[in-house]
Amino acid sequence: MASGDLERGTKNRGNNANFPSYYVETAEKQWTSWIIPMFVVANIAVFIVVMYVNDCPKKSLGIEGSCVAKFLGRFSFQPLKENPLFGPSAATLEKMGALEWNKVVHGHQGWRLITCMWLHAGVVHVLANMLSLIFIGIRLEQQFGFVRVGIIYLVSGFGGSILSSLFIQQNISVGASGALFGLLGAMLSELLTNWTIYSNKIAALLTLVVIIAINLAVGILPHVDNFAHIGGFMSGFLLGFVFLLRPQFGWAENRHSPADARVKSKHKAYQYVFMLAAAVLLIVGFTLALVMLFKGENGNDHCSWCHYLSCVPTSKWNCRS
Protein backbone atom coordinates (compact mmCIF):
# COMPACT_ATOMS: atom_id res chain seq x y z
CA MET A 1 0.00 0.00 0.00
CA ALA A 2 0.97 3.62 -0.22
CA SER A 3 2.77 4.99 2.80
CA GLY A 4 -0.44 6.26 4.34
CA ASP A 5 -2.23 2.92 4.33
CA LEU A 6 -2.30 -0.06 6.62
CA GLU A 7 -3.15 -3.66 5.94
CA ARG A 8 -3.92 -6.28 8.53
CA GLY A 9 -2.46 -9.32 6.84
CA THR A 10 1.15 -10.19 6.12
CA LYS A 11 3.03 -12.46 3.81
CA ASN A 12 3.79 -14.60 6.83
CA ARG A 13 0.21 -15.48 7.63
CA GLY A 14 0.98 -18.88 6.14
CA ASN A 15 2.68 -19.74 9.41
CA ASN A 16 -0.77 -20.41 10.77
CA ALA A 17 -0.81 -23.70 8.90
CA ASN A 18 1.46 -25.34 11.44
CA PHE A 19 -1.05 -25.73 14.24
CA PRO A 20 -0.55 -28.55 16.69
CA SER A 21 -2.80 -31.52 16.26
CA TYR A 22 -4.33 -31.96 19.70
CA TYR A 23 -5.50 -35.35 20.83
CA VAL A 24 -8.71 -34.96 22.79
CA GLU A 25 -9.54 -37.74 25.20
CA THR A 26 -13.26 -37.78 24.43
CA ALA A 27 -15.53 -38.56 21.52
CA GLU A 28 -17.63 -35.67 20.26
CA LYS A 29 -19.83 -34.94 17.30
CA GLN A 30 -17.96 -33.71 14.24
CA TRP A 31 -19.73 -30.86 12.49
CA THR A 32 -19.67 -30.24 8.77
CA SER A 33 -17.83 -27.01 8.04
CA TRP A 34 -19.75 -24.57 5.84
CA ILE A 35 -19.63 -21.12 7.45
CA ILE A 36 -15.84 -20.82 7.09
CA PRO A 37 -15.93 -21.75 3.36
CA MET A 38 -18.71 -19.17 2.99
CA PHE A 39 -16.53 -16.52 4.67
CA VAL A 40 -13.71 -17.40 2.27
CA VAL A 41 -15.97 -17.11 -0.78
CA ALA A 42 -17.43 -13.83 0.51
CA ASN A 43 -13.99 -12.28 1.04
CA ILE A 44 -12.81 -13.28 -2.43
CA ALA A 45 -16.05 -12.05 -4.01
CA VAL A 46 -15.73 -8.69 -2.26
CA PHE A 47 -12.14 -8.37 -3.49
CA ILE A 48 -13.26 -9.00 -7.07
CA VAL A 49 -15.95 -6.33 -6.72
CA VAL A 50 -13.40 -3.88 -5.30
CA MET A 51 -11.06 -4.49 -8.24
CA TYR A 52 -13.97 -3.93 -10.65
CA VAL A 53 -14.74 -0.61 -9.00
CA ASN A 54 -11.04 0.31 -8.89
CA ASP A 55 -10.65 0.19 -12.70
CA CYS A 56 -6.95 1.09 -12.77
CA PRO A 57 -6.64 1.73 -16.54
CA LYS A 58 -9.35 4.39 -16.40
CA LYS A 59 -8.66 6.03 -13.03
CA SER A 60 -4.90 5.75 -12.53
CA LEU A 61 -3.00 8.99 -13.13
CA GLY A 62 0.20 7.15 -14.02
CA ILE A 63 2.30 9.11 -11.51
CA GLU A 64 3.52 5.95 -9.75
CA GLY A 65 3.86 4.00 -12.99
CA SER A 66 1.53 1.98 -15.18
CA CYS A 67 -1.09 -0.55 -14.12
CA VAL A 68 0.06 -4.12 -13.51
CA ALA A 69 -1.38 -7.05 -15.51
CA LYS A 70 -3.12 -4.80 -18.03
CA PHE A 71 -4.52 -7.85 -19.82
CA LEU A 72 -7.03 -8.07 -16.96
CA GLY A 73 -8.65 -4.87 -18.18
CA ARG A 74 -10.45 -2.97 -15.42
CA PHE A 75 -9.38 -5.71 -12.98
CA SER A 76 -5.69 -4.86 -13.43
CA PHE A 77 -3.72 -3.80 -10.35
CA GLN A 78 -2.37 -0.45 -9.24
CA PRO A 79 1.33 0.25 -9.96
CA LEU A 80 3.58 -1.71 -7.60
CA LYS A 81 5.11 1.49 -6.23
CA GLU A 82 1.64 2.43 -5.06
CA ASN A 83 0.47 -1.02 -3.92
CA PRO A 84 3.05 -3.85 -3.85
CA LEU A 85 0.38 -6.36 -2.82
CA PHE A 86 -1.25 -6.39 -6.29
CA GLY A 87 -4.46 -4.65 -5.40
CA PRO A 88 -6.59 -1.49 -5.64
CA SER A 89 -5.80 2.10 -4.72
CA ALA A 90 -6.20 3.52 -1.25
CA ALA A 91 -8.96 5.77 -2.56
CA THR A 92 -10.96 2.76 -3.76
CA LEU A 93 -10.56 0.96 -0.46
CA GLU A 94 -11.70 4.05 1.42
CA LYS A 95 -14.69 4.39 -0.90
CA MET A 96 -15.66 0.73 -0.37
CA GLY A 97 -15.59 0.88 3.44
CA ALA A 98 -12.03 0.82 4.76
CA LEU A 99 -11.55 1.71 8.41
CA GLU A 100 -10.81 5.42 8.73
CA TRP A 101 -11.00 7.04 12.16
CA ASN A 102 -12.22 10.46 11.07
CA LYS A 103 -15.11 9.02 9.08
CA VAL A 104 -16.09 6.64 11.88
CA VAL A 105 -16.06 9.25 14.64
CA HIS A 106 -16.88 12.54 12.92
CA GLY A 107 -18.58 11.22 9.82
CA HIS A 108 -20.91 8.93 11.79
CA GLN A 109 -19.86 5.95 9.67
CA GLY A 110 -19.59 3.33 12.37
CA TRP A 111 -20.41 0.66 9.81
CA ARG A 112 -16.77 0.87 8.70
CA LEU A 113 -15.84 -1.05 11.84
CA ILE A 114 -17.50 -4.04 10.19
CA THR A 115 -16.99 -3.50 6.45
CA CYS A 116 -13.22 -3.10 6.76
CA MET A 117 -12.83 -6.74 7.78
CA TRP A 118 -14.21 -7.87 4.41
CA LEU A 119 -11.78 -5.76 2.37
CA HIS A 120 -8.21 -6.62 1.44
CA ALA A 121 -5.29 -4.59 0.16
CA GLY A 122 -4.29 -6.97 -2.61
CA VAL A 123 -4.06 -10.49 -4.00
CA VAL A 124 -1.17 -11.34 -1.67
CA HIS A 125 -3.17 -10.07 1.30
CA VAL A 126 -6.43 -11.87 0.53
CA LEU A 127 -4.78 -15.18 -0.38
CA ALA A 128 -2.64 -15.23 2.77
CA ASN A 129 -5.62 -14.47 4.98
CA MET A 130 -7.96 -16.92 3.30
CA LEU A 131 -5.44 -19.78 3.45
CA SER A 132 -5.00 -19.04 7.14
CA LEU A 133 -8.76 -18.92 7.64
CA ILE A 134 -9.12 -22.34 6.04
CA PHE A 135 -6.41 -23.89 8.20
CA ILE A 136 -7.66 -22.33 11.44
CA GLY A 137 -11.40 -22.04 10.97
CA ILE A 138 -12.38 -25.36 9.43
CA ARG A 139 -10.83 -27.33 12.29
CA LEU A 140 -12.62 -25.20 14.89
CA GLU A 141 -15.94 -25.34 13.07
CA GLN A 142 -15.77 -29.12 12.78
CA GLN A 143 -15.32 -29.36 16.53
CA PHE A 144 -17.63 -26.61 17.79
CA GLY A 145 -20.11 -25.85 15.02
CA PHE A 146 -20.85 -22.88 12.82
CA VAL A 147 -22.74 -20.77 15.38
CA ARG A 148 -19.98 -20.51 17.95
CA VAL A 149 -17.13 -20.18 15.45
CA GLY A 150 -19.08 -17.65 13.37
CA ILE A 151 -19.75 -15.51 16.44
CA ILE A 152 -16.09 -15.61 17.50
CA TYR A 153 -14.92 -14.67 13.99
CA LEU A 154 -17.28 -11.73 13.59
CA VAL A 155 -17.01 -10.33 17.11
CA SER A 156 -13.22 -10.65 17.08
CA GLY A 157 -13.03 -8.77 13.79
CA PHE A 158 -15.19 -6.05 15.31
CA GLY A 159 -12.98 -5.92 18.40
CA GLY A 160 -9.88 -5.60 16.24
CA SER A 161 -11.44 -2.71 14.35
CA ILE A 162 -12.27 -0.88 17.59
CA LEU A 163 -8.74 -1.14 19.00
CA SER A 164 -7.26 -0.16 15.65
CA SER A 165 -9.44 2.96 15.52
CA LEU A 166 -8.40 3.95 19.03
CA PHE A 167 -4.68 3.89 18.26
CA ILE A 168 -4.31 4.43 14.50
CA GLN A 169 -6.08 7.59 13.44
CA GLN A 170 -4.08 8.88 10.49
CA ASN A 171 -4.30 5.91 8.10
CA ILE A 172 -6.86 3.55 6.67
CA SER A 173 -6.95 -0.13 7.56
CA VAL A 174 -8.45 -3.20 5.92
CA GLY A 175 -8.32 -6.97 6.31
CA ALA A 176 -9.70 -10.01 8.07
CA SER A 177 -6.62 -10.53 10.24
CA GLY A 178 -8.34 -9.26 13.38
CA ALA A 179 -10.95 -11.99 12.99
CA LEU A 180 -8.24 -14.55 12.23
CA PHE A 181 -6.32 -13.63 15.36
CA GLY A 182 -9.59 -13.98 17.24
CA LEU A 183 -9.76 -17.61 16.15
CA LEU A 184 -6.15 -18.05 17.28
CA GLY A 185 -7.00 -16.53 20.64
CA ALA A 186 -10.01 -18.81 20.94
CA MET A 187 -7.81 -21.83 20.24
CA LEU A 188 -5.58 -20.82 23.15
CA SER A 189 -8.39 -20.24 25.63
CA GLU A 190 -10.09 -23.46 24.50
CA LEU A 191 -6.92 -25.37 25.33
CA LEU A 192 -6.68 -23.70 28.74
CA THR A 193 -10.32 -24.08 29.79
CA ASN A 194 -10.47 -27.70 28.61
CA TRP A 195 -7.02 -28.49 29.99
CA THR A 196 -7.95 -31.74 31.74
CA ILE A 197 -9.18 -33.56 28.64
CA TYR A 198 -6.03 -33.05 26.57
CA SER A 199 -2.92 -35.17 26.36
CA ASN A 200 0.48 -33.63 25.57
CA LYS A 201 -0.79 -30.43 27.14
CA ILE A 202 2.52 -28.62 27.54
CA ALA A 203 3.70 -29.40 24.00
CA ALA A 204 0.39 -28.23 22.57
CA LEU A 205 0.45 -25.03 24.63
CA LEU A 206 4.04 -24.17 23.75
CA THR A 207 3.46 -24.81 20.05
CA LEU A 208 0.38 -22.62 19.98
CA VAL A 209 2.04 -19.82 21.97
CA VAL A 210 5.05 -19.81 19.61
CA ILE A 211 2.77 -19.59 16.55
CA ILE A 212 0.83 -16.70 18.09
CA ALA A 213 4.02 -14.90 19.15
CA ILE A 214 5.54 -15.16 15.68
CA ASN A 215 2.43 -13.81 14.01
CA LEU A 216 2.13 -10.93 16.47
CA ALA A 217 5.83 -10.15 16.05
CA VAL A 218 5.33 -9.74 12.31
CA GLY A 219 2.89 -6.97 13.21
CA ILE A 220 5.68 -4.64 14.34
CA LEU A 221 6.64 -4.14 10.69
CA PRO A 222 5.46 -0.88 9.10
CA HIS A 223 2.13 -0.78 7.27
CA VAL A 224 0.77 -3.73 9.27
CA ASP A 225 -2.06 -2.92 11.66
CA ASN A 226 -0.99 -4.89 14.71
CA PHE A 227 -3.61 -3.17 16.88
CA ALA A 228 -6.27 -4.97 14.84
CA HIS A 229 -4.38 -8.22 15.44
CA ILE A 230 -4.12 -7.58 19.18
CA GLY A 231 -7.73 -6.45 19.52
CA GLY A 232 -8.97 -9.47 17.60
CA PHE A 233 -6.76 -11.83 19.60
CA MET A 234 -7.92 -10.43 22.95
CA SER A 235 -11.57 -10.65 21.89
CA GLY A 236 -11.24 -14.20 20.61
CA PHE A 237 -9.29 -15.27 23.69
CA LEU A 238 -12.10 -14.14 26.00
CA LEU A 239 -14.82 -15.48 23.70
CA GLY A 240 -13.16 -18.90 23.72
CA PHE A 241 -13.71 -19.18 27.48
CA VAL A 242 -17.39 -18.37 26.95
CA PHE A 243 -18.24 -20.49 23.91
CA LEU A 244 -15.72 -23.33 23.64
CA LEU A 245 -16.23 -25.31 26.84
CA ARG A 246 -16.06 -29.08 26.52
CA PRO A 247 -17.58 -31.59 28.97
CA GLN A 248 -14.98 -33.09 31.28
CA PHE A 249 -13.61 -36.52 30.42
CA GLY A 250 -16.01 -39.33 31.29
CA TRP A 251 -19.14 -37.20 31.61
CA ALA A 252 -20.79 -38.50 28.43
CA GLU A 253 -20.41 -42.12 29.57
CA ASN A 254 -21.44 -41.52 33.20
CA ARG A 255 -24.60 -39.56 32.47
CA HIS A 256 -26.31 -42.82 31.48
CA SER A 257 -25.40 -44.49 34.77
CA PRO A 258 -28.11 -45.79 37.16
CA ALA A 259 -30.04 -43.18 39.07
CA ASP A 260 -28.34 -44.02 42.38
CA ALA A 261 -24.83 -43.77 40.88
CA ARG A 262 -22.74 -40.67 41.32
CA VAL A 263 -22.60 -38.78 38.03
CA LYS A 264 -19.82 -36.36 37.18
CA SER A 265 -20.79 -32.76 36.56
CA LYS A 266 -20.62 -31.75 32.93
CA HIS A 267 -18.02 -29.05 33.51
CA LYS A 268 -15.49 -28.30 36.19
CA ALA A 269 -15.92 -25.33 38.53
CA TYR A 270 -12.90 -23.48 37.10
CA GLN A 271 -14.47 -23.58 33.63
CA TYR A 272 -17.48 -21.66 34.92
CA VAL A 273 -15.21 -19.20 36.71
CA PHE A 274 -13.27 -18.56 33.50
CA MET A 275 -16.50 -18.20 31.53
CA LEU A 276 -17.99 -15.67 33.94
CA ALA A 277 -14.80 -13.62 34.22
CA ALA A 278 -14.34 -13.58 30.45
CA ALA A 279 -17.95 -12.50 29.85
CA VAL A 280 -17.59 -9.61 32.30
CA LEU A 281 -14.29 -8.49 30.76
CA LEU A 282 -15.80 -8.66 27.27
CA ILE A 283 -18.80 -6.51 28.17
CA VAL A 284 -16.76 -3.96 30.13
CA GLY A 285 -13.97 -3.85 27.56
CA PHE A 286 -16.21 -3.36 24.53
CA THR A 287 -18.32 -0.77 26.34
CA LEU A 288 -15.33 1.32 27.45
CA ALA A 289 -13.61 1.04 24.07
CA LEU A 290 -16.70 2.13 22.14
CA VAL A 291 -17.33 5.06 24.51
CA MET A 292 -13.72 6.20 24.13
CA LEU A 293 -13.85 5.80 20.35
CA PHE A 294 -17.00 7.81 19.75
CA LYS A 295 -15.87 10.49 22.20
CA GLY A 296 -12.96 10.97 19.80
CA GLU A 297 -10.26 9.94 22.25
CA ASN A 298 -6.82 8.82 21.11
CA GLY A 299 -5.58 5.67 22.81
CA ASN A 300 -1.98 6.89 22.50
CA ASP A 301 -2.79 9.72 24.92
CA HIS A 302 -3.44 7.11 27.61
CA CYS A 303 -0.50 4.85 26.70
CA SER A 304 2.69 6.58 25.60
CA TRP A 305 4.47 3.36 24.59
CA CYS A 306 1.62 1.47 22.92
CA HIS A 307 2.54 2.71 19.44
CA TYR A 308 5.53 0.35 19.57
CA LEU A 309 3.09 -2.57 19.54
CA SER A 310 2.26 -1.82 15.91
CA CYS A 311 5.58 -0.57 14.57
CA VAL A 312 9.12 -0.52 15.94
CA PRO A 313 11.36 1.98 14.10
CA THR A 314 14.74 0.75 12.89
CA SER A 315 17.48 1.98 10.60
CA LYS A 316 15.62 0.25 7.74
CA TRP A 317 12.28 2.03 8.13
CA ASN A 318 10.53 4.95 9.76
CA CYS A 319 7.19 4.24 11.39
CA ARG A 320 5.98 7.75 10.67
CA SER A 321 6.52 7.51 6.92
Side-chain angles (χ1 to χ4, degrees):
M1 295 295 289
S3 60
D5 305 321
L6 291 166
E7 54 94 359
R8 298 182 181 176
T10 73
K11 297 178 182 178
N12 293 50
R13 285 289 80 81
N15 291 332
N16 294 338
N18 302 315
F19 295 121
S21 178
Y22 305 145
Y23 172 74
V24 185
E25 298 176 336
T26 184
E28 289 188 350
K29 174 183 178 180
Q30 286 290 305
W31 298 75
T32 299
S33 176
W34 64 269
I35 195 74
I36 294 300
M38 279 189 60
F39 285 159
V40 172
V41 171
N43 276 279
I44 293 175
V46 168
F47 181 73
I48 293 173
V49 171
V50 170
M51 291 308 303
Y52 180 85
V53 173
N54 186 66
D55 195 1
C56 179
K58 181 178 179 180
K59 299 179 181 178
S60 178
L61 300 177
I63 298 176
E64 299 287 345
S66 59
C67 300
V68 178
K70 291 183 178 179
F71 64 89
L72 295 174
R74 66 183 299 149
F75 293 96
S76 58
F77 312 118
Q78 293 298 118
L80 293 182
K81 286 185 178 181
E82 180 182 349
N83 186 345
L85 298 177
F86 299 97
S89 66
T92 299
L93 288 172
E94 189 171 348
K95 176 182 178 181
M96 298 297 289
L99 186 61
E100 204 274 311
W101 176 81
N102 188 59
K103 286 183 167 56
V104 170
V105 176
H106 301 296
H108 306 292
Q109 298 179 14
W111 48 266
R112 289 179 179 271
L113 294 167
I114 298 174
T115 56
C116 65
M117 61 186 286
W118 302 97
L119 300 172
H120 287 83
V123 172
V124 174
H125 190 195
V126 70
L127 287 181
N129 275 352
M130 293 306 100
L131 287 173
S132 298
L133 178 56
I134 290 171
F135 284 119
I136 305 171
I138 287 181
R139 170 192 172 274
L140 280 177
E141 187 181 356
Q142 287 174 341
Q143 292 185 343
F144 296 100
F146 71 94
V147 174
R148 287 183 281 184
V149 172
I151 290 174
I152 291 172
Y153 180 88
L154 295 173
V155 175
S156 296
F158 183 61
S161 297
I162 294 173
L163 193 66
S164 175
S165 295
L166 282 172
F167 285 93
I168 299 178
Q169 303 184 349
Q170 303 300 320
N171 304 300
I172 67 171
S173 180
V174 296
S177 297
L180 289 171
F181 270 84
L183 295 181
L184 270 177
M187 288 178 67
L188 179 59
S189 56
E190 188 270 324
L191 174 61
L192 294 176
T193 197
N194 301 316
W195 186 257
T196 59
I197 68 172
Y198 281 100
S199 62
N200 300 321
K201 303 174 178 64
I202 301 300
L205 177 62
L206 290 176
T207 303
L208 189 54
V209 168
V210 168
I211 292 171
I212 293 169
I214 291 173
N215 281 275
L216 286 174
V218 172
I220 66 174
L221 297 173
H223 309 299
V224 178
D225 184 358
N226 212 28
F227 285 111
H229 297 174
I230 296 170
F233 176 81
M234 292 170 59
S235 301
F237 181 70
L238 293 174
L239 287 165
F241 286 118
V242 177
F243 288 108
L244 303 186
L245 279 72
R246 293 179 188 269
Q248 62 172 309
F249 180 61
W251 173 81
E253 293 80 4
N254 291 343
R255 63 177 173 170
H256 299 298
S257 301
D260 58 343
R262 183 180 178 183
V263 179
K264 284 186 176 181
S265 61
K266 186 174 183 179
H267 299 104
K268 290 185 175 294
Y270 78 85
Q271 291 178 297
Y272 291 117
V273 172
F274 283 164
M275 180 175 65
L276 179 61
V280 171
L281 288 173
L282 274 168
I283 294 171
V284 173
F286 270 83
T287 301
L288 290 177
L290 285 169
V291 169
M292 289 177 62
L293 174 61
F294 287 104
K295 284 178 63 177
E297 294 191 29
N298 189 329
N300 294 292
D301 295 336
H302 302 277
C303 180
S304 60
W305 55 269
C306 283
H307 62 279
Y308 291 117
L309 294 174
S310 189
C311 183
V312 176
T314 70
S315 59
K316 300 295 184 181
W317 62 73
N318 185 344
C319 294
R320 296 183 179 276
S321 64

